[in-house]
Amino acid sequence: MIDKLELFLALARARHFGRAAEEAGVSQPTLSAGVKQLEEMLGVPLVVRGSRFQGFTAEGERLLEWSRRLVGDWRSMRQDIEALRKTVCGHFRLAAVPTALAMVPKLTIAVIDKHPGVDFLILASNSQKIIEQVENLAIDAGLTYLDNEPVGNLIQIPLYRERYHLITGPASDFSGRDEVHWSELQDVPLCLLSPDMQNRRIIDRALHQVGVKAEVAVESNSMTALAAHVRTGRWTSIMPTVLMEALGLPAELEAIPLVDPVIEHTIGLVMMDRQPHSPMAAAMIAAARKLSAKQGMLPHPPIA
């Protein structure tokens, strides 16, 4: 049953029979047969039939919710039992929005220092995909925005507040300024994250709020690529404080606070709310709560 539910979750993630089979490491007929067996066991259609995948029936959507619970609990149970006979170890998959990648080492180091047998796969992704991946068990946790767009019924641990600076060169009209108003960015050549990123949607709303039409010449889903373009001196970018500090600005570049309005959003860890937590999940939650308290986001550090 668990194996069949794993195949069903793979189909939910891929939304395509062929890609789901490839992800699950089985042939497409095997995956289709597994879904068909689930339908026969439950006596209801689970997938909307057509020449290609068209979605799940109402029963299929309900089974998807149960699959997440059952498969998640099965994985947690196996980790918990294994931890009784040896140290906590395993593979932890963590995705983060690009602006939060600089915070990831604070979590991974804390977990590895306590449990050297844990290794990490770190992925960059957008906020919407992170929520979907956590819910469909494609990743174990995510770092994303908590207060700007819905994050579902997940555990949420705030880690820090994201604030924004204008990153520009010495030839800029803004050089030497203590602050820059968002309304002053009209006709300024910008390089920004791509529109599928929530950080970009936040910036677009801020510019729209003050009546500025952005002149975006370069877009990327990589903050490193944006920083490289700013270093040429031809473009200006907008970056959160934590990422700016992690990247380290060359001496010729300046970071100037953006004001009027001052924009802040909370970045935090999201995970499935499942009790009891697996040993690796519990270690990550403990690390996140300690970091949250250190950053002043929680009133007291948790009891380890």
Side-chain angles (χ1 to χ4, degrees):
M1 172 64 78
I2 294 296
D3 290 343
K4 292 180 179 62
L5 295 180
E6 289 270 22
L7 295 177
F8 194 67
L9 284 172
L11 181 59
R13 290 191 292 268
R15 316 294 290 185
H16 184 279
F17 277 93
R19 290 194 295 269
E22 183 177 354
E23 177 190 325
V26 300
S27 67
Q28 185 170 333
T30 298
L31 185 137
S32 298
V35 173
K36 187 65 175 176
Q37 288 169 3
L38 284 174
E39 291 179 321
E40 291 172 352
M41 292 170 65
L42 296 172
V44 294
L46 301 174
V47 178
V48 179
R49 292 294 192 271
S51 58
R52 57 183 180 177
F53 180 82
Q54 297 179 11
F56 296 112
T57 63
E59 294 86 354
E61 292 290 348
R62 183 59 58 87
L63 179 63
L64 183 57
E65 295 176 15
W66 280 103
S67 298
R68 291 165 178 161
R69 296 183 200 175
L70 294 170
V71 172
D73 285 345
W74 169 255
R75 293 179 184 176
S76 296
M77 182 188 71
R78 291 187 60 180
Q79 289 182 25
D80 198 26
I81 291 173
E82 289 173 359
L84 293 176
R85 59 183 177 83
K86 60 184 180 181
T87 58
V88 176
C89 61
H91 195 59
F92 197 94
R93 301 157 301 175
L94 177 66
V97 292
T99 59
L101 285 170
M103 188 61 67
V104 170
K106 296 182 183 295
L107 295 172
T108 55
I109 289 173
V111 173
I112 291 173
D113 281 350
K114 191 169 184 178
H115 304 292
V118 176
D119 59 80
F120 283 88
L121 172 66
I122 309 299
L123 304 168
S125 188
N126 64 51
S127 56
Q128 294 174 339
K129 190 173 181 180
I130 285 174
I131 301 304
E132 293 173 0
Q133 289 176 320
V134 170
E135 291 179 338
N136 288 325
L137 308 183
I139 59 175
D140 299 297
L143 263 64
T144 188
Y145 296 86
L146 301 184
D147 59 358
N148 190 52
E149 295 179 357
V151 298
N153 297 319
L154 303 176
I155 293 174
Q156 302 174 38
I157 303 175
L159 296 179
Y160 66 95
R161 295 285 286 173
E162 186 175 83
R163 301 177 178 88
Y164 300 91
H165 283 67
L166 190 73
I167 313 299
T168 192
S172 167
D173 293 338
F174 302 115
S175 181
R177 296 268 298 271
D178 293 327
E179 60 184 31
V180 173
H181 293 233
W182 288 88
S183 58
E184 298 179 79
L185 299 183
Q186 184 73 45
D187 299 326
V188 174
L190 296 173
C191 56
L192 300 174
L193 283 174
S194 50
D196 62 312
M197 296 293 173
Q198 191 170 164
N199 171 269
R200 172 62 182 279
R201 296 194 292 273
I202 290 171
I203 290 171
D204 285 347
R205 279 199 298 271
L207 293 170
H208 179 75
Q209 183 179 337
V210 296
V212 169
K213 182 175 175 58
E215 184 182 323
V216 184
V218 176
E219 296 178 328
S220 174
N221 61 1
S222 166
M223 295 301 294
T224 303
L226 298 184
H229 279 80
V230 174
R231 288 189 181 100
T232 68
R234 295 186 58 180
W235 291 279
T236 294
S237 190
I238 298 171
M239 293 187 183
T241 308
V242 65
L243 183 67
M244 176 190 69
E245 293 171 349
L247 288 174
L249 290 180
E252 67 272 17
L253 297 183
E254 298 179 61
I256 308 170
L258 280 162
V259 299
D260 194 25
V262 173
I263 307 292
E264 292 187 348
H265 286 287
T266 301
I267 300 287
L269 184 82
V270 294
M271 297 179 65
M272 290 293 286
D273 189 3
R274 181 178 297 109
Q275 296 290 345
H277 297 295
S278 71
M280 284 196 297
M284 176 56 70
I285 290 171
R289 285 177 174 163
K290 288 179 180 178
L291 177 58
S292 183
K294 185 176 180 180
Q295 295 286 115
M297 301 299 292
L298 292 178
H300 302 289
I303 299 174

